[in-house]
């Protein structure tokens, strides 16, 4: 089953196995975003987050670019007012999404595209991927988190250089700096993203959702408060479990241990 925008510029595939795939589909314009595409992208994430059958979401771009940013031929239409509209803000909807989001970055992730990539939980990049922040070059003020998130991922000194010089970051550099998890051949990009998705789906899905949330919420706080947050949520989690749930947990662990081969040491 597939749902698309009226112009097929944002394509949503609800595939089998619990993996939903969102594709930015405007390859002739390097997947630059129009105002309507932003709304459709936000709607896609909100919709998939609400679907019980979807456990993990993969975000990718068609053609030779992930997303080259906002379509600047309609800059005023895009920037005025819409940054405050949560319902039509794709990054806001990605950040609200309870399910893990894997970004498959092929080619350029520029400015708004860079910000969308940073809203993913896990990033896989093709060897030809390039991340670039052109806000300073074109006189655009960031509003989807790039000025704050990038420094927290790669460090403030590197972030200042990337943003103030508007020079591209290669896939190799991005992996070295901890911006992306894996760099693969372009032909292997979606395969690798799916492998990660399938590994996530094999785990306890309630805990996956809770774990993503505590990591992301804790990352916004200093370590002392984040540790308190983890402890509070752990107490809530265990206090909410029934004796039957504890029994199932113990049986599962015992079953896993029994399947392991004896150590040769």
């Amino acid at each position: 089953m597939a749902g698309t925008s009226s112009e097929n510029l944002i394509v949503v595939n609800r595939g089998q196995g619990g993996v939903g795939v969102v594709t930015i589909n405007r390859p002739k314009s390097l997947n630059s975003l129009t105002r309507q595409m932003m709304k459709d992208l936000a709607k896609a994430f909100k919709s998939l987050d609400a679907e019980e059958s979807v456990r993990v979401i993969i975000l990718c771009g068609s053609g030779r670019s992930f997303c080259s940013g906002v379509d600047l031929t309609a800059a005023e239409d895009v920037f005025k007012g819409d940054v405050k509209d949560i319902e039509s803000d794709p990054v806001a909807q990605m950040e609200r999404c309870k399910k893990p989001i894997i970004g498959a970055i092929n080619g350029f992730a520029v400015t708004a595209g860079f910000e969308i990539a940073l809203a993913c939980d896990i990033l896989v990049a093709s060897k030809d991927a390039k991340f670039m922040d052109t806000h300073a070059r074109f006189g655009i003020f960031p509003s989807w988190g790039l000025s704050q998130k990038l420094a927290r991922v790669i460090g403030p000194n590197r972030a200042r250089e990337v943003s103030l010089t508007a020079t591209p970051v290669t896939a190799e550099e991005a992996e070295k700096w901890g911006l992306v998890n894996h760099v693969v051949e372009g032909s292997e990009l979606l395969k690798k993203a799916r492998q990660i998705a399938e590994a996530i789906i094999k785990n306890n899905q309630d805990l996956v959702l809770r774990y993503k949330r505590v990591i992301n919420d804790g990352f916004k706080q200093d370590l002392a408060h984040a540790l308190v947050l983890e402890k509070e949520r752990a107490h809530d989690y265990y206090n909410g479990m029934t004796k039957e749930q504890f029994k199932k947990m113990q049986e599962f662990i015992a079953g896993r241990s029994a399947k392991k081969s004896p150590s040769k040491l």
Side-chain angles (χ1 to χ4, degrees):
M1 179 181 178
T4 67
S5 71
S6 57
E7 296 180 275
N8 275 354
L9 300 183
I10 301 296
V11 180
V12 181
N13 288 301
R14 296 160 174 86
Q16 296 180 347
V19 181
V21 180
V22 179
T23 305
I24 305 172
N25 186 37
R26 199 187 180 204
K28 291 182 179 179
S29 298
L30 297 179
N31 295 325
S32 62
L33 299 171
T34 64
R35 180 175 177 178
Q36 186 59 49
M37 287 172 70
M38 292 180 186
K39 292 181 178 180
D40 288 347
L41 191 57
K43 182 179 178 181
F45 278 100
K46 187 174 182 179
S47 174
L48 290 175
D49 193 35
E51 293 187 25
E52 190 173 339
S53 62
V54 175
R55 303 298 180 86
V56 179
I57 302 168
I58 295 174
L59 175 63
C60 60
S62 62
R64 58 192 182 91
S65 177
F66 172 72
C67 175
S68 62
V70 169
D71 185 344
L72 294 180
T73 62
E76 184 174 359
D77 182 48
V78 169
F79 292 127
K80 283 197 171 181
D82 284 77
V83 291
K84 294 183 179 180
D85 182 3
I86 298 299
E87 292 302 311
S88 63
D89 184 331
V91 169
Q93 292 303 322
M94 290 173 73
E95 290 173 342
R96 287 184 168 193
C97 183
K98 299 182 294 295
K99 297 164 184 178
I101 302 171
I102 301 171
I105 313 300
N106 55 303
F108 291 102
V110 179
T111 313
F114 199 164
E115 292 180 296
I116 288 171
L118 284 170
C120 297
D121 298 299
I122 297 168
L123 290 179
V124 183
S126 65
K127 289 184 176 180
D128 65 347
K130 287 184 174 61
F131 299 84
M132 191 171 182
D133 180 6
T134 62
H135 282 103
R137 177 175 295 177
F138 294 111
I140 301 168
F141 204 95
S143 61
W144 280 353
L146 187 48
S147 67
Q148 303 304 308
K149 291 179 181 178
L150 187 61
R152 286 163 169 77
V153 176
I154 67 173
N157 287 359
R158 286 194 179 117
R160 281 189 282 264
E161 181 178 359
V162 169
S163 296
L164 301 184
T165 65
T167 53
V169 177
T170 66
E172 182 181 2
E173 289 172 324
E175 184 180 36
K176 180 180 177 181
W177 294 350
L179 177 61
V180 304
N181 300 69
H182 304 277
V183 175
V184 298
E185 296 290 344
S187 59
E188 297 292 308
L189 184 62
L190 284 178
K191 179 181 178 181
K192 183 62 178 179
R194 285 187 176 277
Q195 286 176 344
I196 296 170
E198 289 166 3
I200 292 171
I201 290 169
K202 290 179 181 178
N203 294 322
N204 181 304
Q205 289 307 296
D206 177 50
L207 208 288
V208 164
L209 300 183
R210 291 173 183 266
Y211 215 145
K212 167 184 166 168
R213 184 178 175 189
V214 76
I215 291 172
N216 289 1
D217 289 350
F219 194 65
K220 299 172 186 175
Q221 303 184 27
D222 61 65
L223 180 58
H225 287 93
L227 290 172
V228 171
L229 177 72
E230 181 195 64
K231 185 69 73 176
E232 289 174 347
R233 292 190 184 178
H235 287 162
D236 290 342
Y237 178 69
Y238 290 121
N239 287 338
M241 287 180 66
T242 65
K243 289 184 178 180
E244 184 63 26
Q245 286 173 318
F246 274 111
K247 183 179 178 181
K248 286 183 178 180
M249 178 194 292
Q250 291 168 327
E251 289 174 348
F252 177 78
I253 294 170
R256 294 274 296 187
S257 299
K259 289 179 183 179
K260 291 182 179 179
S261 58
S263 172
K264 294 181 180 179
L265 296 179

